[in-house]
């Protein structure tokens, strides 16, 4: 679980994207969080609480 995060952070998610990548870039923060797969570039929007549970750890910044 990741409590604090901000725009531009790279996070490792517990569940990998269908393309096989686990690292995502945070591109919008609000009630929903938008993350972009760092491999295929697909964008996913998920509720903040779900994102926090699904995130494993912060990897770094863009
Ligand atoms: Zn992907």
């Amino acid at each position: 679980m990741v409590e604090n995060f901000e725009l531009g952070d790279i996070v490792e998610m517990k569940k990998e994207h269908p393309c096989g990548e686990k690292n995502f870039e945070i591109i919008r923060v609000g009630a929903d969080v938008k993350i972009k797969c760092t491999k295929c570039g697909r964008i996913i929007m998920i509720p903040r609480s779900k994102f926090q549970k699904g995130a494993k750890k912060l990897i770094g910044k863009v």
Side-chain angles (χ1 to χ4, degrees), residues 1-6 11-15 26 29-35 46-58:
M1 177 140 170
V2 172
E3 304 264 357
N4 299 309
F5 54 90
E6 59 183 15
V11 291
E12 182 183 329
M13 301 299 285
K14 287 175 190 161
K15 201 178 159 192
I26 298 175
V29 176
D32 290 318
V33 176
K34 260 189 191 172
I35 54 176
I46 48 175
R48 195 186 180 97
S49 58
K50 199 176 163 190
F51 167 77
Q52 288 176 309
K53 282 183 201 131
K56 197 171 170 188
K57 61 181 173 183
L58 289 179

Side-chain angles (χ1 to χ4, degrees), residues 17-21 24 37-42:
H17 198 235
C19 75
E21 182 57 56
F24 294 80
C37 177
T38 58
K39 188 178 172 192
C40 72
R42 284 285 298 271

